[in-house]
Amino acid sequence: MNGALWSRQATTGGHAMRIVLSGSSTATRRPGWSSATGGEFLPFQLSRFDSRYATLSVPTPLLRRPSQYFDSNVLATTSGVPSPATVEALVHLLGPEAVLFAVVYPCERTGAAVATLERTALPPEVEHRIGSANARVLLRL
């Protein structure tokens, strides 16, 4: 399970949650930081993060629910996610402005990643945002 099969996502996702739970991203607005592999699959756990955080007693509580930091701070990439349904779900969870097309070379084939985006049921304008427009905004091109 080491490497790209599982441990990279779990480790990177854990670091991302530490950033959120530290409150250090409170003042940041998008683009705050990006996370590969569908946001390390964290966007699919947002309601769980909120419900579990509500049960914790912390010395310095967050100003917002954990999920709200994803709304304003996190961009997720399509790298490592060869599933049109998963890309569509990322758009639904984070919004079309928060998903970026990416390929993890040499682990992935660029053609397969492009085909994944093309096979979604997303409107052409959303595909365009994911495919290039969001990156142009992020990189100020």
Side-chain angles (χ1 to χ4, degrees), residues 11-128:
T11 301
T12 307
H15 291 310
M17 282 306 298
R18 285 179 186 86
I19 292 169
V20 169
L21 295 176
S22 74
S24 65
S25 57
T26 300
T28 308
R29 288 286 179 230
R30 187 172 284 139
W33 46 279
S34 67
S35 191
T37 317
E40 306 308 339
F41 301 106
L42 297 175
F44 301 97
Q45 297 291 319
L46 296 180
S47 61
R48 179 182 175 86
F49 298 148
D50 289 347
S51 70
R52 296 302 84 217
Y53 183 78
T55 68
L56 300 177
S57 175
V58 295
T60 307
L62 295 174
L63 299 176
R64 300 180 282 163
R65 295 187 317 264
S67 65
Q68 292 175 308
Y69 290 89
F70 283 83
D71 289 344
S72 60
N73 296 87
V74 178
L75 303 169
T77 73
T78 62
S79 62
V81 187
S83 163
T86 303
V87 173
E88 291 170 13
L90 283 170
V91 170
H92 177 73
L93 292 165
L94 298 176
E97 70 285 347
V99 182
L100 300 164
F101 176 81
V103 177
V104 178
Y105 179 84
C107 300
E108 297 178 72
R109 303 281 184 232
T110 301
V114 170
T116 295
L117 184 57
E118 289 174 341
R119 288 192 325 264
T120 66
L122 297 169
E125 62 273 10
V126 173
E127 282 186 26
H128 174 71

